Amino acid sequence: MLSKEDESDAPILREDQDRINKFARTNMRAEQMREELKELSKQLEVLADVEAEMLMGEEEGARVMVGEVFVAVSQDDASAMVAAQTAELTAQQKDMQGQLEKMEAELQDLKAQLYAKFGKSINLESE
């Protein structure tokens, strides 16, 4: 419970409710994006491991999964496929990081506005 000094008697206007709702939606999207970034990082680690294995491998070719089937391809083709997929995932990761930075800046701005009006009577911190 908040003490009497910490409570805010500021009326909640429509604009305030809109800011609170926008904060909640943006915060939820930011959390989802953080999870997607973690997954992309894992995929990039797997691709790095695959590339290292191919470099150490002494075999002439490699098997690549296409859909539900493994297809035999040359070592060079497999390396090119891994490089292309790595480049694509890296570009996605950079794009998502840029979007996340914008969201976090927006969240900080909304937090500042809402805390300025409501003080400690509103909790905007993640748990």
Side-chain angles (χ1 to χ4, degrees):
M1 296 256 337
L2 292 174
S3 65
K4 289 292 180 188
E5 306 92 44
D6 291 340
E7 288 184 13
S8 173
D9 291 334
I12 300 176
L13 304 175
R14 176 70 181 168
E15 296 84 29
D16 299 327
Q17 187 62 50
D18 290 343
R19 284 187 193 114
I20 292 168
N21 292 343
K22 185 175 182 178
F23 179 87
R25 284 190 310 271
T26 305
N27 192 41
M28 185 172 48
R29 282 195 316 262
E31 284 298 320
Q32 290 171 342
M33 193 162 287
R34 285 184 197 101
E35 291 298 318
E36 289 174 21
L37 278 169
K38 285 180 187 176
E39 185 61 35
L40 273 176
S41 293
K42 288 179 185 176
Q43 290 176 5
L44 284 168
E45 286 178 21
V46 168
L47 286 173
D49 291 344
V50 166
E51 194 169 28
E53 283 290 323
M54 287 190 326
L55 289 174
M56 288 190 283
E58 297 175 10
E59 300 174 14
E60 288 296 315
R63 295 190 182 268
V64 177
M65 187 171 198
V66 179
E68 296 180 9
V69 178
F70 284 97
V71 178
V73 296
S74 70
Q75 191 80 9
D76 293 337
D77 289 342
S79 293
M81 294 170 105
V82 169
Q85 195 168 12
T86 300
E88 180 182 331
L89 290 177
T90 301
Q92 282 180 0
Q93 186 181 38
K94 286 181 182 179
D95 181 49
M96 289 177 75
Q97 285 172 336
Q99 291 176 19
L100 183 59
E101 287 172 7
K102 288 178 185 175
M103 282 185 207
E104 288 174 345
E106 184 178 5
L107 287 170
Q108 290 302 317
D109 182 48
L110 288 168
K111 268 186 187 183
Q113 292 174 21
L114 292 168
Y115 279 138
K117 180 158 186 178
F118 298 108
K120 293 182 180 178
S121 64
I122 189 168
N123 181 13
L124 302 173
E125 300 303 320
S126 298
E127 295 176 20

